[in-house]
């Protein structure tokens, strides 16, 4: 086991538990922290610091990592020990975009393709190269809609200076869903959430587990940096 410092870029819903992912400052690579007790997930309680607050996007925290446990779909997975995480600092200034820019996905591709999903057959033939990515979207809108008595939240945006590919992905970031839940159904520009300040928005995208023959691309983290 070894101590590592993690820049948290997502703490999202995953089934009844959480998916915590970010950049290891030791390896400068993506990691998804999972527990041995819950396959592919970690409990919400395990994502909390000693003060009871959950790890949030842009937190830098210390965690004790055990062994890699990557799968053919989620190669970044690593077991984390039961030792409580320790928050060190936050990256929340506009200047911190320089650090995040080092890990941006090559545009305009999001996780190996232009669609919002990937067939399970693809990864049966060839393991995924990555299941986590960071993007800097343009023309970003938030779509709240009602379906069969349930609320659905989508991120609609463009990516790429030339191709201008438009994506429409489901949102699983708990904090961002709480913000959207205060609004009636509709489509809202991202600028509405920036309070008139100079800001940059990044999205952490993650591949889901298999569901009805596909792995879906999800917005697992919404990151706003303000001047």
């Amino acid at each position: 086991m070894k101590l590592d410092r993690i820049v948290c870029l997502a703490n999202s819903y995953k089934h009844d538990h959480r998916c915590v992912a970010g950049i290891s400052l030791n390896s400068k690579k993506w990691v998804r922290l999972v527990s041995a007790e819950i396959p592919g997930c970690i409990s919400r309680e395990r994502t909390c610091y000693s003060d009871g607050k959950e790890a949030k996007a842009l937190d830098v925290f210390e965690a004790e990592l055990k062994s890699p446990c990557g799968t053919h779909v989620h190669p970044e997975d690593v077991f984390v020990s039961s030792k409580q995480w320790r928050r060190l600092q936050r990256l929340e200034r506009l200047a911190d975009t320089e650090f995040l820019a080092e890990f941006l996905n090559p545009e305009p591709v999001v996780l190996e393709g232009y669609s919002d999903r990937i067939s399970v057959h693809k990864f049966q033939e060839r393991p995924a190269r990555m299941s986590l990515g960071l993007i800097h979207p343009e023309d970003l809108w938030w779509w709240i809609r009602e379906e069969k008595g349930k609320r659905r939240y989508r991120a609609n945006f463009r990516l790429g200076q030339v191709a201008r590919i438009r994506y429409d992905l489901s949102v699983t970031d708990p904090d961002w869903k709480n913000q959207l839940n205060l609004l009636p159904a509709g489509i809202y520009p991202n600028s509405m959430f920036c309070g008139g300040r100079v800001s940059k928005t990044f999205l952490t995208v993650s591949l889901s587990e298999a569901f009805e023959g596909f792995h879906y691309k999800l917005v697992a983290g919404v990151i706003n940096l303000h001047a």
Side-chain angles (χ1 to χ4, degrees):
M1 290 187 287
K2 62 179 180 179
L3 285 177
D4 203 342
R5 291 172 299 145
I6 310 295
V7 179
C8 181
L9 297 180
N11 183 351
S12 73
Y13 289 122
K14 187 171 183 181
H15 308 305
D16 294 325
H17 305 289
R18 292 300 173 90
C19 170
V20 175
I23 302 297
S24 159
L25 291 181
N26 285 2
S27 67
K28 300 298 190 298
K29 295 181 179 180
W30 281 96
V31 289
R32 182 187 285 104
L33 308 183
V34 301
S35 65
E37 298 80 16
I38 310 170
C41 304
I42 191 167
S43 68
R44 178 185 174 277
E45 292 74 20
R46 292 275 296 278
T47 73
C48 295
Y49 306 123
S50 59
D51 60 3
K53 294 181 179 179
E54 287 185 68
K56 295 183 178 295
L58 299 180
D59 280 359
V60 182
F61 64 87
E62 187 177 74
E64 189 175 59
L65 305 187
K66 298 167 72 175
S67 58
C69 57
T71 68
H72 68 292
V73 177
H74 290 162
E76 304 90 348
D77 287 10
V78 59
F79 285 130
V80 63
S81 79
S82 58
K83 182 177 180 179
Q84 193 163 53
W85 300 350
R86 184 168 69 94
R87 178 176 158 175
L88 303 175
Q89 66 180 95
R90 277 186 63 76
L91 304 180
E92 53 191 354
R93 302 169 302 155
L94 201 58
D96 291 319
T97 58
E98 294 181 10
F99 171 81
L100 296 178
E102 296 180 33
F103 302 97
L104 285 176
N105 271 31
E107 295 183 351
V109 178
V110 173
L111 299 182
E112 303 193 31
Y114 301 113
S115 174
D116 68 340
R117 68 196 73 180
I118 299 175
S119 169
V120 295
H121 299 299
K122 178 174 181 177
F123 297 136
Q124 290 171 353
E125 298 169 358
R126 177 184 59 80
R129 292 184 294 104
M130 58 192 303
S131 66
L132 292 163
L134 186 68
I135 59 175
H136 178 38
E138 299 177 45
D139 191 25
L140 173 59
W141 294 75
W142 301 99
W143 183 13
I144 307 166
R145 66 178 190 249
E146 305 280 352
E147 289 183 0
K148 299 179 180 179
K150 291 186 178 181
R151 288 199 130 206
R152 307 293 183 186
Y153 307 91
R154 311 281 298 185
N156 193 287
F157 58 90
R158 291 187 185 276
L159 197 64
Q161 295 297 320
V162 179
R164 305 294 292 166
I165 304 299
R166 180 165 286 282
Y167 291 91
D168 179 7
L169 307 182
S170 182
V171 178
T172 57
D173 180 323
D175 289 339
W176 200 252
K177 289 178 72 170
N178 286 341
Q179 287 196 60
L180 297 179
N181 203 37
L182 299 174
L183 300 170
I187 301 177
Y188 301 89
N190 189 61
S191 58
M192 175 178 167
F193 300 89
C194 298
R197 293 178 288 178
V198 176
S199 62
K200 285 191 177 182
T201 299
F202 296 86
L203 303 178
T204 299
V205 289
S206 175
L207 277 183
S208 75
E209 302 285 354
F211 178 72
E212 296 183 348
F214 293 95
H215 297 280
Y216 287 84
K217 300 172 186 179
L218 310 171
V219 174
V222 180
I223 300 165
N224 282 322
L225 293 173
H226 304 289

